[in-house]
Amino acid sequence: MARLSESGLPIEPVYGPAALTGWDPAAELGEPGQYPFTRGVYPTMYTGKPWTMRQYAGFGTAAESNARYKQLIANGTMGLSVAFDLPTQMGYDSDATVAHGEVGKVGVAVDSVEDMGVLFDGIPLGEVSTSMTINAPASLLLLLYQLVGESQGVPSSMLTGTVQNDVLKEYIARGTYIFPPKPSLRLIADVFQYCRAEIPRWNTISISGYHMAEAGATPAQEIAFTLANGIEYVRTAIAAGMDVDDFAPRLSFFFVSRTTLLEEVAKFRAARRIWARVMKEEFHAKNPKSMMLRFHTQTAGVQLTAQQPEVNLVRVSIQALAAVLGGTQSLHTNSFDEAIALPTEKSARLALRTQQVLAYETDVTATVDPFAGSYVVESLTDEVEAAALELMTKVEEMGGAVAGIERGYQKAEIERSAYQVALETDAGERTVVGVNRFPLDEEEPYEPLRVDPAIEARQAERLAKLRADRDSAAVDHALSALRRAAESEGENVLYPMKAALAARATVGETCNALRDVWGTYVPVDSF
């Protein structure tokens, strides 16, 4: 009897030529670096150089995170990836009542341009690539980064990196939204236009399936709902007057990598092929770069266990291998202790070493798309693609991603999948080593990294000093200009927003100015 994949697709015990009857490699594969990019977005992939090795980090104060970034760079990290705390993600200052107890917990607290300056002190922004996992207030954090670059004397044209900026998946799976969908999409289109004019090497969005997968989405759901969101962003930018080839080359994606290696490899290949065809056939893109699905991968945090945490080293290695075999452009490997607390310096270094072993000690970088032509992987690629397209069609029939979100469709589908996984795990039908099979009678002690609770008070003191020292009239004037721009349909809000942040308006004050005009989003019940 065939096993079922994570997407519910049968995986046969044996595959042979019959599995690919009628399969046309010229149409389905092409050459590496050529349409439909099934085999990878670049002709040589890792044979010339490996993927970008990023480590997602950020905790406590900007100074503490800055020290961790410098350690990671010294250990060989090729790109930084910033984790922000929950108040920052929600557009609140550290001294806001709603922020109490959350400051610096799941990421770094950034309240102003001064915090961003400390965060990157001594790190030359013209030489590093920085990814920022921030969504609803993404435009603010990007502008703060630009302001710090300017203070370092780095031209904005030299800044490279990615801002996640994907608010639609927040409505579906994660919840760190601020504004309703319509103004949120306008803000994203403004980022596209602003970066094309001011920060041309910046990736303006990282359309994320990772968080949907962490919430329980299957591989087919992950790519279907992610690509549906991508289609919505493309339509929004075109409706704002942009030509598809002016912004699409800077779009990027963000996926999870699970321990189910074969299906994950198939998922990545199917996603590239679907996106290439959508961009060519629906949006009539002419530039091949507009058709390339370039993506970052993070290993599956949801699959990490607090029990026998060292086993997570094995899980992460397999997940990282799946991402590499699937053709990722950059990769973050989770630390083995992340199911318990923030990673220690040693565990973060081990996670990076996992990538370095794959890149420099194995032969997976010696050839492009090693699984091309595999009976099982090509069959799974076709099947995952078909399953994803079926879900994308359902979203389209509802009127697109936003219409589906407003009806609660994607969220309900993911919740059903998550519930099924929980039932199977509880029943022992799905093995989790160290949890429902092969447990220990007594777990070994482990001392996690802990965040100092006094951080919140120190951040509040910094904010009080900032507000006392700055030109309050200039801040009020700049925030008023931002409100007027938000009320106008045709004005790009990033220009007055940058002026406000440069005047040392805080993240919370700037987001509140937009809340005054656009309001906040109230979620609907599930589909």
Side-chain angles (χ1 to χ4, degrees), residues 139 165 167-168 171 179-194 232-233 236-237 240 242 481-494 496 514 517-518:
S139 52
N165 198 27
V167 76
L168 291 182
Y171 304 123
F179 316 112
K182 185 176 179 181
S184 294
L185 288 171
R186 173 197 168 173
L187 194 53
I188 289 168
D190 283 356
V191 171
F192 289 178
Q193 291 174 323
Y194 181 87
E232 193 83 46
Y233 293 131
T236 298
M242 299 185 73
L482 175 60
R483 290 187 190 93
R484 289 194 297 272
E487 290 168 350
S488 168
E489 288 295 324
E491 190 172 347
N492 190 311
V493 299
L494 267 73
L514 296 177
V517 179
W518 292 339

Side-chain angles (χ1 to χ4, degrees), residues 103-156:
V103 176
K105 286 289 181 66
V106 299
V108 61
V110 173
D111 292 315
S112 69
V113 68
E114 292 187 359
D115 286 337
M116 189 67 91
V118 172
L119 187 63
F120 289 100
D121 181 52
I123 298 174
L125 298 193
E127 299 174 20
V128 300
S129 170
T130 302
S131 174
M132 293 189 282
T133 302
I134 193 74
N135 294 284
S139 52
L140 284 77
L141 276 300
L142 172 61
L143 293 171
L144 291 176
Y145 189 86
Q146 183 187 20
L147 287 168
V148 172
E150 290 174 356
S151 72
Q152 292 185 358
V154 179
S156 296

Side-chain angles (χ1 to χ4, degrees), residues 346-361:
K346 180 178 181 179
S347 67
R349 184 172 61 247
L350 282 170
L352 176 61
R353 295 288 183 256
T354 302
Q355 294 198 51
Q356 291 166 335
V357 168
L358 284 175
Y360 303 115
E361 292 192 21

Side-chain angles (χ1 to χ4, degrees), residues 59-62 64 84-88 92-111 115 342 451-460 463:
F59 63 95
T61 65
E64 289 173 302
F84 296 96
D85 73 354
L86 193 56
T88 305
Y92 293 110
D93 289 332
S94 295
D95 60 356
T97 301
V98 72
H100 180 62
E102 292 295 338
V103 176
K105 286 289 181 66
V106 299
V108 61
V110 173
D111 292 315
D115 286 337
L342 291 169
V451 174
D452 183 356
I455 284 171
E456 185 173 327
R458 291 201 297 270
Q459 280 296 110
L463 280 165

Side-chain angles (χ1 to χ4, degrees), residues 89-310:
Q89 293 180 48
M90 299 294 290
Y92 293 110
D93 289 332
S94 295
D95 60 356
T97 301
V98 72
H100 180 62
E102 292 295 338
V103 176
K105 286 289 181 66
V106 299
V108 61
V110 173
D111 292 315
S112 69
V113 68
E114 292 187 359
D115 286 337
M116 189 67 91
V118 172
L119 187 63
F120 289 100
D121 181 52
I123 298 174
L125 298 193
E127 299 174 20
V128 300
S129 170
T130 302
S131 174
M132 293 189 282
T133 302
I134 193 74
N135 294 284
S139 52
L140 284 77
L141 276 300
L142 172 61
L143 293 171
L144 291 176
Y145 189 86
Q146 183 187 20
L147 287 168
V148 172
E150 290 174 356
S151 72
Q152 292 185 358
V154 179
S156 296
S157 60
M158 294 295 293
L159 296 176
T160 61
T162 303
V163 66
Q164 192 162 101
N165 198 27
D166 174 13
V167 76
L168 291 182
K169 66 94 173 50
E170 297 295 328
Y171 304 123
I172 294 171
R174 195 159 173 269
T176 61
Y177 44 73
I178 300 175
F179 316 112
K182 185 176 179 181
S184 294
L185 288 171
R186 173 197 168 173
L187 194 53
I188 289 168
D190 283 356
V191 171
F192 289 178
Q193 291 174 323
Y194 181 87
C195 286
R196 183 168 187 267
E198 307 291 341
I199 319 177
R201 297 177 66 190
W202 198 267
N203 296 320
T204 53
I205 194 167
S206 179
I207 307 164
S208 175
Y210 180 87
H211 303 95
M212 288 187 269
E214 292 285 279
T218 68
Q221 289 172 338
E222 178 192 355
I223 62 171
F225 298 149
T226 303
L227 299 186
N229 287 350
I231 290 169
E232 193 83 46
Y233 293 131
V234 172
R235 288 173 178 162
T236 298
I238 291 173
M242 299 185 73
D243 182 87
V244 65
D245 287 319
D246 285 343
F247 67 88
R250 304 313 306 178
L251 303 179
S252 64
F253 292 80
F254 175 26
F255 295 116
V256 80
S257 189
R258 304 168 179 82
T259 52
T260 44
L261 185 147
L262 296 177
E263 187 177 18
E264 291 300 288
V265 172
K267 177 192 77 178
F268 296 131
R269 299 168 88 251
R272 276 195 295 270
R273 196 157 68 201
I274 294 171
W275 188 247
R277 289 173 175 163
V278 165
M279 294 304 290
K280 182 177 182 178
E281 296 170 11
E282 178 175 345
F283 296 112
H284 309 293
K286 302 293 190 296
N287 185 346
K289 291 183 178 179
S290 299
M291 307 174 207
M292 293 179 181
L293 185 143
R294 297 171 301 113
F295 65 96
H296 170 69
T297 308
Q298 182 172 337
T299 56
V302 75
Q303 291 188 319
L304 302 180
T305 64
Q307 299 91 333
Q308 301 181 45
E310 291 84 358

